[in-house]
Amino acid sequence: MVVSTPVLGLAVLIYLMVIFYLGWVGYKKTKDIDDYMIAGRKIHSYVLALSYGATFISTSAIVGFGGAAGVLGMGLLWLTFMNVFVGIFIAFVIFGSKTRRMGLNLRAVTFPELMGRRFESRFIQGFSGILLGIFMPLYSGIVLIGAARFLETTLGINYDVAVLVFTVIIAAYVITGGLIAVMYTDALQGALMFVGMGVLMFLTYSKLGGITEAHRMLTDMAPLVPESLVQGGHLGWTAMPAFGSTLWWTLVSTLVLGVGIGVLAQPQLAVRFMTVKDDRALNRAVLVGGPFIFMMTGVAFTVGALSNAYFYKTQNLISIAVAKGNTDLIIPEYINSSMPDLFVILFMLTLLAAAMSTLSSQFHTMGTAIGHDFYREYLMKGKSGKTVTITKLGIAVTILASVILAYMLPISIIASATAIFFGLCAAAFLPMYTGALFWKRMTKEGAIASLIVGTFSSLFWLVFVHAKEASPLGISQALFGKATLLTGTWTVIDPILVATPLAILAAVVVSLVTSPPSNEHLETCYGKKAINR
């Protein structure tokens, strides 16, 4: 089905007018570098919660992971639990308050700057900035893919055109309005996403005869699982894969743990903790952020799995067959074939909101990483120069890289690429970030060791061991004559389970054998009261 009605045009026009208005408001409120980088540290708690959630949940979650649930089943709901418990509760209550206070004490305006100032290292800030500038386009590229695929399926427009037009719209308000514009538009988009996903859940269960009947139907379809998936350990769409099987390791280590833990070390999310004025705002945000994430991911994963029941009922096919082998098309195909035209329009706006909110934050983070962290603090040694100009140029360059990747990346890539980026951030940043907040004894040398070990061990595992990336890349094959350096279960264990422990070990060992930071510096970071306790 291709939707093409005056209602669609009017809906999109109104939506874009509101988005550009909020972008203009952000532009008018942006007076200095603190406004551009961290929204002036005075964002309302509800705006924070919706912005954080809308940044976290993108088309990669709805389209990519929803499609993955169409193949792997409801075991992916464990990721919903991780998203709420780790991504909201632990992130806001445990990490958020300490991040906010330390960011204020050190006058940090980006995540790399927070780490650099805590450990008195321009190298940490510069390396972190360039790492984000190089690898975050992979994440933003797959978010673009998710939105463009739905536009392609729904409107019947060329995929390449959809990518380009969509990118230009987002770039316009991110480059001009900074983080204030990003967070205002995120909040609106988050509210729209919540409504859209709620209606999707209701309509899906209605189509399948109610909750009990829908789940019974899906359970009874276990014999229809393709033989290739059965050999990988698939036991049906309402069951976890067989323990220790290839699919079990993929589901648990790559998707659930890779994304569920990796969220704590996402710079575009962590920086939001520094945009509010007090801890009360963070605590209030949990009450909005928790239900939001639960609804977004829970509905996407449930509907993705249940799409099998709908397609079998209507076409005598399972979801992956309808999508012709491309998991990224399962959710778009399901929406377009099962839902009324009016909802298709609403859901298209929901996906536009999801993609725009995440991409705007990614583009802003990549730009500040290049312009502020790498250019100003590392190359220029703290001299102001043309920081905002270079930041805007950095945004433009990384947008271009994201678009190129959206054109080049293969099918069924969204969930995997998301897990790769989240896992890399966990290995590179999480041990250093955790130590910065909770371990005063952690030294600059320990932080650098953790950053380097986490980054390169993660990349090594991706290139030479983890079969899903190593085999198509072919680097191991070219250098050593075999697709992966290790065999068996090792080839399906995600890098996060290897690289992150190594980074933690490096941080602890090196910190213990090097001189601790001075009390004066620790007082600056944590405050005198925290040091005296």
PDB file of all heavy atoms in Angstrom, residues 260-275:
ATOM      1  N   GLY A 260      21.799  -2.837  26.088  1.00  0.00           N
ATOM      2  CA  GLY A 260      21.300  -2.572  27.431  1.00  0.00           C
ATOM      3  C   GLY A 260      22.335  -1.979  28.364  1.00  0.00           C
ATOM      4  O   GLY A 260      22.021  -1.137  29.212  1.00  0.00           O
ATOM      5  N   ILE A 261      23.589  -2.397  28.235  1.00  0.00           N
ATOM      6  CA  ILE A 261      24.674  -1.829  29.046  1.00  0.00           C
ATOM      7  C   ILE A 261      25.291  -0.623  28.341  1.00  0.00           C
ATOM      8  O   ILE A 261      25.636   0.370  28.969  1.00  0.00           O
ATOM      9  CB  ILE A 261      25.745  -2.892  29.335  1.00  0.00           C
ATOM     10  CG1 ILE A 261      25.143  -4.003  30.216  1.00  0.00           C
ATOM     11  CG2 ILE A 261      26.960  -2.283  30.026  1.00  0.00           C
ATOM     12  CD1 ILE A 261      26.072  -5.171  30.457  1.00  0.00           C
ATOM     13  N   GLY A 262      25.412  -0.715  27.036  1.00  0.00           N
ATOM     14  CA  GLY A 262      26.049   0.346  26.263  1.00  0.00           C
ATOM     15  C   GLY A 262      25.359   1.684  26.389  1.00  0.00           C
ATOM     16  O   GLY A 262      25.983   2.740  26.206  1.00  0.00           O
ATOM     17  N   VAL A 263      24.064   1.697  26.747  1.00  0.00           N
ATOM     18  CA  VAL A 263      23.328   2.955  26.867  1.00  0.00           C
ATOM     19  C   VAL A 263      23.932   3.862  27.935  1.00  0.00           C
ATOM     20  O   VAL A 263      23.866   5.097  27.827  1.00  0.00           O
ATOM     21  CB  VAL A 263      21.838   2.670  27.173  1.00  0.00           C
ATOM     22  CG1 VAL A 263      21.674   1.992  28.523  1.00  0.00           C
ATOM     23  CG2 VAL A 263      21.024   3.956  27.139  1.00  0.00           C
ATOM     24  N   LEU A 264      24.544   3.282  28.969  1.00  0.00           N
ATOM     25  CA  LEU A 264      25.124   4.092  30.040  1.00  0.00           C
ATOM     26  C   LEU A 264      26.282   4.957  29.559  1.00  0.00           C
ATOM     27  O   LEU A 264      26.618   5.957  30.188  1.00  0.00           O
ATOM     28  CB  LEU A 264      25.615   3.197  31.182  1.00  0.00           C
ATOM     29  CG  LEU A 264      24.551   2.596  32.099  1.00  0.00           C
ATOM     30  CD1 LEU A 264      25.199   1.646  33.089  1.00  0.00           C
ATOM     31  CD2 LEU A 264      23.769   3.687  32.819  1.00  0.00           C
ATOM     32  N   ALA A 265      26.914   4.549  28.474  1.00  0.00           N
ATOM     33  CA  ALA A 265      28.105   5.260  28.004  1.00  0.00           C
ATOM     34  C   ALA A 265      27.857   5.978  26.684  1.00  0.00           C
ATOM     35  O   ALA A 265      28.792   6.233  25.932  1.00  0.00           O
ATOM     36  CB  ALA A 265      29.263   4.271  27.846  1.00  0.00           C
ATOM     37  N   GLN A 266      26.600   6.324  26.412  1.00  0.00           N
ATOM     38  CA  GLN A 266      26.285   7.070  25.197  1.00  0.00           C
ATOM     39  C   GLN A 266      26.486   8.568  25.452  1.00  0.00           C
ATOM     40  O   GLN A 266      25.732   9.179  26.216  1.00  0.00           O
ATOM     41  CB  GLN A 266      24.844   6.797  24.772  1.00  0.00           C
ATOM     42  CG  GLN A 266      24.606   5.398  24.283  1.00  0.00           C
ATOM     43  CD  GLN A 266      25.330   5.127  22.983  1.00  0.00           C
ATOM     44  OE1 GLN A 266      25.035   5.715  21.941  1.00  0.00           O
ATOM     45  NE2 GLN A 266      26.300   4.235  23.029  1.00  0.00           N
ATOM     46  N   PRO A 267      27.471   9.195  24.834  1.00  0.00           N
ATOM     47  CA  PRO A 267      27.748  10.615  25.101  1.00  0.00           C
ATOM     48  C   PRO A 267      26.564  11.536  24.845  1.00  0.00           C
ATOM     49  O   PRO A 267      26.356  12.501  25.583  1.00  0.00           O
ATOM     50  CB  PRO A 267      28.913  10.925  24.149  1.00  0.00           C
ATOM     51  CG  PRO A 267      29.583   9.604  23.953  1.00  0.00           C
ATOM     52  CD  PRO A 267      28.476   8.605  23.926  1.00  0.00           C
ATOM     53  N   GLN A 268      25.773  11.252  23.803  1.00  0.00           N
ATOM     54  CA  GLN A 268      24.629  12.116  23.494  1.00  0.00           C
ATOM     55  C   GLN A 268      23.532  12.004  24.543  1.00  0.00           C
ATOM     56  O   GLN A 268      22.671  12.889  24.645  1.00  0.00           O
ATOM     57  CB  GLN A 268      24.077  11.802  22.091  1.00  0.00           C
ATOM     58  CG  GLN A 268      23.298  10.506  21.965  1.00  0.00           C
ATOM     59  CD  GLN A 268      24.195   9.296  21.734  1.00  0.00           C
ATOM     60  OE1 GLN A 268      25.397   9.342  21.976  1.00  0.00           O
ATOM     61  NE2 GLN A 268      23.611   8.216  21.254  1.00  0.00           N
ATOM     62  N   LEU A 269      23.547  10.942  25.344  1.00  0.00           N
ATOM     63  CA  LEU A 269      22.594  10.800  26.443  1.00  0.00           C
ATOM     64  C   LEU A 269      23.171  11.353  27.745  1.00  0.00           C
ATOM     65  O   LEU A 269      22.487  12.059  28.498  1.00  0.00           O
ATOM     66  CB  LEU A 269      22.208   9.331  26.623  1.00  0.00           C
ATOM     67  CG  LEU A 269      21.492   8.666  25.442  1.00  0.00           C
ATOM     68  CD1 LEU A 269      21.169   7.209  25.767  1.00  0.00           C
ATOM     69  CD2 LEU A 269      20.221   9.416  25.069  1.00  0.00           C
ATOM     70  N   ALA A 270      24.432  11.024  28.016  1.00  0.00           N
ATOM     71  CA  ALA A 270      25.056  11.471  29.266  1.00  0.00           C
ATOM     72  C   ALA A 270      25.089  12.994  29.364  1.00  0.00           C
ATOM     73  O   ALA A 270      24.925  13.557  30.458  1.00  0.00           O
ATOM     74  CB  ALA A 270      26.476  10.910  29.371  1.00  0.00           C
ATOM     75  N   VAL A 271      25.280  13.672  28.243  1.00  0.00           N
ATOM     76  CA  VAL A 271      25.377  15.134  28.284  1.00  0.00           C
ATOM     77  C   VAL A 271      24.059  15.770  28.724  1.00  0.00           C
ATOM     78  O   VAL A 271      24.037  16.883  29.258  1.00  0.00           O
ATOM     79  CB  VAL A 271      25.814  15.684  26.905  1.00  0.00           C
ATOM     80  CG1 VAL A 271      24.677  15.617  25.892  1.00  0.00           C
ATOM     81  CG2 VAL A 271      26.319  17.110  27.014  1.00  0.00           C
ATOM     82  N   ARG A 272      22.955  15.049  28.565  1.00  0.00           N
ATOM     83  CA  ARG A 272      21.667  15.598  28.958  1.00  0.00           C
ATOM     84  C   ARG A 272      21.540  15.752  30.468  1.00  0.00           C
ATOM     85  O   ARG A 272      20.769  16.581  30.945  1.00  0.00           O
ATOM     86  CB  ARG A 272      20.532  14.725  28.408  1.00  0.00           C
ATOM     87  CG  ARG A 272      20.159  15.147  26.999  1.00  0.00           C
ATOM     88  CD  ARG A 272      19.480  14.083  26.191  1.00  0.00           C
ATOM     89  NE  ARG A 272      19.014  14.663  24.934  1.00  0.00           N
ATOM     90  CZ  ARG A 272      19.814  15.070  23.941  1.00  0.00           C
ATOM     91  NH1 ARG A 272      21.123  14.986  24.091  1.00  0.00           N
ATOM     92  NH2 ARG A 272      19.324  15.587  22.824  1.00  0.00           N
ATOM     93  N   PHE A 273      22.290  14.971  31.219  1.00  0.00           N
ATOM     94  CA  PHE A 273      22.258  15.117  32.672  1.00  0.00           C
ATOM     95  C   PHE A 273      22.813  16.477  33.102  1.00  0.00           C
ATOM     96  O   PHE A 273      22.533  16.946  34.201  1.00  0.00           O
ATOM     97  CB  PHE A 273      23.058  14.001  33.349  1.00  0.00           C
ATOM     98  CG  PHE A 273      22.558  12.617  33.033  1.00  0.00           C
ATOM     99  CD1 PHE A 273      23.445  11.582  32.794  1.00  0.00           C
ATOM    100  CD2 PHE A 273      21.198  12.348  32.969  1.00  0.00           C
ATOM    101  CE1 PHE A 273      22.985  10.300  32.508  1.00  0.00           C
ATOM    102  CE2 PHE A 273      20.734  11.072  32.676  1.00  0.00           C
ATOM    103  CZ  PHE A 273      21.631  10.043  32.445  1.00  0.00           C
ATOM    104  N   MET A 274      23.614  17.083  32.239  1.00  0.00           N
ATOM    105  CA  MET A 274      24.220  18.374  32.567  1.00  0.00           C
ATOM    106  C   MET A 274      23.354  19.553  32.132  1.00  0.00           C
ATOM    107  O   MET A 274      23.744  20.700  32.278  1.00  0.00           O
ATOM    108  CB  MET A 274      25.609  18.480  31.922  1.00  0.00           C
ATOM    109  CG  MET A 274      26.604  17.456  32.438  1.00  0.00           C
ATOM    110  SD  MET A 274      28.305  17.756  31.895  1.00  0.00           S
ATOM    111  CE  MET A 274      28.268  17.131  30.210  1.00  0.00           C
ATOM    112  N   THR A 275      22.146  19.273  31.601  1.00  0.00           N
ATOM    113  CA  THR A 275      21.302  20.357  31.093  1.00  0.00           C
ATOM    114  C   THR A 275      20.256  20.820  32.103  1.00  0.00           C
ATOM    115  O   THR A 275      19.508  21.762  31.819  1.00  0.00           O
ATOM    116  CB  THR A 275      20.566  19.926  29.810  1.00  0.00           C
ATOM    117  OG1 THR A 275      19.666  18.839  30.119  1.00  0.00           O
ATOM    118  CG2 THR A 275      21.557  19.491  28.737  1.00  0.00           C
TER     119      THR A 275
END
